[in-house]
Amino acid sequence: MTIDPAPSLFDAPIAAPSSAVDGDDRTPLLPVRHPNQDLFICDVLDAIPKDDMASMEHPVFSLSTKPDNRMRRYEHNGNVIEIIPSGKGLATIHDKDILIYCISQLVAKMNQGEQPSRTVRLQAYDMLVATNRQTSGEGYRLMADALTRLRGTTVRTNIQTGGVEETRIFGLIEEARITRKTFDGRMLDLEITLSDWVYRSVISKNVLTLHRDYFRLRKPFERRMYELARKHCGVKDEWKIGLELLQKKCGSNSPLRVFRALVKKVCEHDADHGHFPDYAVTMDDDVILFRNRSGLKSKPDPVASASDDAPYIDPETMHDAKTAAPGYDVYALYDEWVSWWHDMGKPELKSPAGAFLGFCKKRHERKPLR
């Protein structure tokens, strides 16, 4: 593997809001900037944050905290990625929030049985709120810069998406179009056309749920660590990775001693605050251990606990249900939902996943547990 060196990982992220405003020294998480707003409002269902597995596995996005204008090359297990910047630099891990938002909207529509388009129409304000960003003029400016980097960054890769392997050269988004502005030029409505590579991941459901606190992680490096843990640990009890391999997967070319100190600091912060989403993270003798906080592995398969003709709900949707109905035992909700389905005469479900998530969401709305 070869990755060109990038600027320091320790400064405030270039696409993140001002740390001076947010109190960078207080807690490892950014504040919830929009506590009275529902996240990921979609016209079919509250969309749950989703990320594509290819970019979770491989270091496509820069962790640099300053404009990163170096071409990078990553090789691992036969996969090769070359990431080529535009004049604005490489797309960053914070720029990726826009892709996550778009993917989340498309998956929500698929859960309702719709066939999504590669072009996502959205309101800029909703995207800023959903990704916990500032809605000031600066927030809109940073989003415009992020769209430019996403469009300008070129990826050349042979990674599979949707069961197809081929060498392709593409941008992370194909096009972004501002369709409506305010009198002072601030964008209101947007159309973003995803690259075919990203779109293929979505329609093939090569996506995973993200904890919403992902958008509150201050440091780009912590976001990358979480992506890797979510991809490799998933709902298992734990996952271990050596320090050097973690460094490779993060795309860092810092000296190992510097990288070790950075990982150690994350582990110390998590021990003090328990801030790392979904997983507790510790390090011992250059081995990093991620432990699942929820212990989902010990839960029964929903198919095994219901009758043979009950609608199948896959583990990833069960994970989504935790977000739709926070605080609830989603397996108990599944049993209730199956009983309701039987009582209704076993109607044909266009999308069992969407129907179950809608059931969980309504239960939470009627009786929130937190």
Side-chain angles (χ1 to χ4, degrees):
M1 179 209 61
T2 303
I3 295 184
D4 289 337
S8 168
L9 295 171
F10 291 94
D11 300 327
I14 59 174
S18 169
S19 61
V21 173
D22 295 320
D24 217 3
D25 294 331
R26 296 180 204 164
T27 67
L29 291 177
L30 293 165
V32 178
R33 295 194 176 91
H34 313 284
N36 298 320
Q37 300 269 354
D38 286 333
L39 296 184
F40 288 91
I41 295 301
C42 184
D43 59 353
V44 293
L45 186 69
D46 284 356
I48 293 167
K50 295 283 186 178
D51 199 356
D52 71 288
M53 287 193 277
S55 68
M56 293 173 79
E57 169 68 14
H58 306 287
V60 174
F61 292 85
S62 173
L63 303 185
S64 172
T65 60
K66 300 173 183 176
D68 188 349
N69 294 301
R70 300 171 184 267
M71 189 178 88
R72 304 166 65 199
R73 179 182 174 88
Y74 169 88
E75 297 181 38
H76 186 65
N77 292 338
N79 294 317
V80 179
I81 304 177
E82 293 179 336
I83 306 118
I84 305 162
S86 68
K88 286 280 190 180
L90 293 172
T92 73
I93 197 78
H94 286 279
D95 298 342
K96 190 181 184 181
D97 290 355
I98 294 173
L99 278 186
I100 292 171
Y101 182 84
C102 292
I103 291 169
S104 305
Q105 299 294 304
L106 297 188
V107 173
K109 291 181 181 296
M110 291 173 64
N111 284 339
Q112 293 300 301
E114 299 182 28
Q115 179 67 20
S117 166
R118 267 207 302 151
T119 298
V120 182
R121 295 171 178 84
L122 51 90
Q123 292 185 329
Y125 175 83
D126 289 346
M127 183 162 60
L128 291 172
V129 169
T131 54
N132 201 44
R133 289 172 177 253
Q134 296 177 354
T135 53
S136 62
E138 177 71 359
Y140 284 90
R141 185 191 68 77
L142 290 173
M143 184 166 62
D145 288 346
L147 288 166
T148 302
R149 285 189 293 269
L150 287 168
R151 176 60 185 87
T153 297
T154 300
V155 179
R156 182 163 54 203
T157 181
N158 68 340
I159 289 178
Q160 286 194 9
T161 58
V164 176
E165 179 179 341
E166 57 187 349
T167 298
R168 303 199 65 190
I169 303 171
F170 54 87
L172 294 167
I173 62 174
E174 185 173 297
E175 182 183 16
R177 188 160 68 99
I178 301 170
T179 59
R180 190 162 63 100
K181 292 183 177 182
T182 61
F183 68 91
D184 61 356
R186 186 178 300 181
M187 67 182 78
L188 290 178
D189 297 338
L190 286 170
E191 289 185 358
I192 298 175
T193 302
L194 301 177
S195 71
D196 185 61
W197 186 66
V198 173
Y199 179 71
R200 189 182 294 168
S201 288
V202 176
I203 62 174
S204 302
K205 292 201 171 180
N206 291 329
V207 295
L208 290 173
T209 307
L210 300 181
H211 194 289
R212 281 177 172 155
D213 279 350
Y214 170 86
F215 298 112
R216 298 179 60 202
L217 290 171
R218 294 181 183 275
K219 298 178 180 179
F221 172 64
E222 287 188 319
R223 290 187 173 208
R224 181 66 188 136
M225 281 183 66
Y226 173 76
E227 283 187 332
L228 290 168
R230 184 68 189 91
K231 170 66 170 59
H232 291 283
C233 189
V235 298
K236 295 185 295 185
D237 286 341
E238 63 180 41
W239 174 62
K240 295 179 180 179
I241 184 171
L243 185 69
E244 291 188 14
L245 182 56
L246 178 64
Q247 182 182 31
K248 177 179 180 180
K249 285 182 172 291
C250 285
S252 169
N253 204 43
S254 300
L256 188 62
R257 61 177 177 78
V258 175
F259 187 78
R260 181 184 293 110
L262 183 59
V263 175
K264 183 179 179 181
K265 182 63 69 176
V266 172
C267 296
E268 290 173 350
H269 281 168
D270 190 55
D272 292 339
H273 301 279
H275 75 291
F276 203 81
D278 286 330
Y279 311 98
V281 55
T282 57
M283 183 172 67
D284 183 29
D285 290 334
D286 283 357
V287 174
I288 297 85
L289 173 64
F290 296 88
R291 290 191 179 92
N292 198 316
R293 296 189 193 273
S294 63
L296 276 178
K297 186 180 178 183
S298 62
K299 297 290 186 178
D301 187 320
V303 172
S305 62
S307 59
D308 291 340
D309 62 347
Y312 174 69
I313 302 298
D314 61 85
E316 188 61 24
T317 300
M318 297 301 289
H319 194 282
D320 293 351
K322 291 177 58 188
T323 302
Y328 276 89
D329 181 340
V330 295
Y331 294 88
L333 288 179
Y334 174 80
D335 289 338
E336 286 186 36
W337 178 67
V338 169
S339 295
W340 170 83
W341 179 74
H342 277 280
D343 292 344
M344 295 297 291
K346 302 180 183 180
E348 182 179 354
L349 300 173
K350 188 175 182 182
S351 171
F356 176 58
L357 290 175
F359 176 86
C360 294
K361 175 176 175 285
K362 288 185 182 298
R363 172 58 63 84
H364 173 65
E365 288 174 346
R366 289 199 304 268
K367 187 179 180 182
L369 296 186
R370 72 177 189 186

